[in-house]
Amino acid sequence: MSDRHSVDGSVEDLVVNPLFARPGEARRRPRLQLGEQPMLPETAYQLVHDEAMLDGNARLNLATFVGTWMDDEARRLYTETFDKNMIDKDEYPSTAAIEERCWKIIADLWHAPDPAASIGCSTVGSSEACMLGGLALKRRWQEARRAQGKSADGPNLVMSSAVQVVWEKFCNYWDVEPRFVPISEQHKTLDGFKLREYVDENTIGVVSILGVTYTGMYEPVAQLNAALDEIQRDTGLDIPIHVDGASGAMVAPFLQPDLAWDFRVPRVASINTSGHKYGLVYPGMGWVVWRSRDLLPDSLVFKVSYLGGDMPTFALNFSRPGAQVLLQYYQFLRLGREGYREVQQASQDVAKFLAERIGAMDAFELWNDASDIPVFAWRHASGYTKNWTLYDLSDRLRQKGWLVPAYPMPDSLADMTVQRIVVRNGLSVDLARSLLKDIEESVHYLDRFAQPLPAEPRSGFHH
């Protein structure tokens, strides 16, 4: 296909290649308006297919945490069930029952004291799950304050400066003051250092990240719990923890089973995760689980009748696909604990292999080594060169098809640029070797420049 451009260069029409068009079909369609006449499905398919073909290769996208591969049986199940509406529990009671089964499996995986007494739900992704976890913290704090005859104005939420942007959105959308504890060279994650300077009687909770988006590192939940215990002894403040386990909550149970980060830690009230990340499901799948039903205020829960009974629902979205819930259950059945362990271990093995090789290059210094989730970051070795940056390396790798992002660290570390690789199921050792070869060749190419490369405007980290 080709496009017709106006005088100012903007695209006006979509032009159908003669080989695509059938006899009698219009050869032009307005790009930004509905055409007057229908188009044959074969032609419409070819046009959309060809335009989508310009996207990057998902297997070479090492920026995203989102899963890009499922097996043939999963894809068949997907096509058989993508018409199901998750919110319509009366029409699709079996899907609703499977949803409940899934979050109970997850509650058990996360060591809920009594999974049957916990409460949870599916979401479109971990961002919605974060919103729901934050809302429960806020509402529970408000109700407790009002019961004590105190003001419920001015709630705040404490988190790392390296928190994922969804938490900034939560605070913005729901009128909560964000309090960011800066990370540093000495304190690379929110570890309890100077925490008491950020909490007070209006703190609804502390967010701990199991797999920081910037680097993949775990924040030490048990250490935060101990810091909050000390604060309570000194001040009387009883502050809960929400664990944002978007990635790590489906890795740690299998690769670090003895690590206390989940409901084994007493202050952890709720946990969220992305089913479409290391839960190994196609995009559009998240989960949030509360330790016990009393931690999700009844005032936030709506009752939906199905099969002659009531089912509680808590969501920001209404109509949404139910197929991903079935895909999650499929993976639980197919893989089991040992299957998940093997898949996540394979990803971590590749990540550690890459981290070791990249860390051994003179040009780089590792920030972390993929010992937590299969993610690691590195920076330029001090004094190596002023002629090129990690942005230049990222651009060079993009020319070879790899998407390896470079970006500044947050706040007090904003002068530091790092590059990050996310290893997901599907990045084989052979592909990793090809990536290393391309990195080595790119560094050799960039080292040939005797003068600094022109700097280009760079945006912040948005992934």
Side-chain angles (χ1 to χ4, degrees), residues 156-159 177-182 187 190-203 205-206 224 227-228 230-232 234-235 237 239:
N156 67 71
L157 183 66
V158 176
M159 64 201 92
E177 176 197 352
R179 292 187 176 177
F180 299 110
V181 181
H187 302 276
L190 180 63
D191 57 10
F193 179 69
K194 293 187 176 181
L195 184 62
R196 65 175 60 232
E197 297 179 9
Y198 293 85
V199 301
D200 57 29
E201 64 177 4
N202 290 339
T203 301
V206 173
L224 279 175
L228 289 170
E230 186 177 330
I231 290 170
Q232 184 176 11
D234 295 341
T235 66
L237 298 174
I239 299 172

Side-chain angles (χ1 to χ4, degrees), residues 349-415:
D349 288 346
V350 172
K352 285 187 171 183
F353 167 73
L354 284 168
E356 180 182 357
R357 297 299 179 89
I358 291 173
M361 296 180 188
D362 293 338
F364 308 125
E365 177 185 329
L366 289 181
W367 179 262
N368 63 303
D369 64 357
S371 293
D372 296 332
I373 60 175
V375 175
F376 67 98
W378 68 90
R379 54 183 167 180
H380 242 148
S382 178
Y384 180 78
T385 184
K386 293 184 178 180
N387 292 340
W388 58 271
T389 68
L390 295 181
Y391 295 110
D392 298 316
L393 176 58
S394 180
D395 290 343
R396 184 73 184 170
L397 291 173
R398 188 184 289 267
Q399 294 175 28
K400 298 174 180 290
W402 301 102
L403 184 56
V404 183
Y407 48 84
M409 292 289 276
D411 293 341
S412 59
L413 295 175
D415 291 337

Side-chain angles (χ1 to χ4, degrees), residues 108-127:
D108 178 71
L109 187 68
W110 294 341
H111 297 95
D114 181 4
S118 62
I119 189 72
C121 63
S122 67
T123 60
V124 170
S126 57
S127 292

Side-chain angles (χ1 to χ4, degrees), residues 83 203 210 224 258:
D83 59 341
T203 301
L210 202 71
L224 279 175
D258 297 327

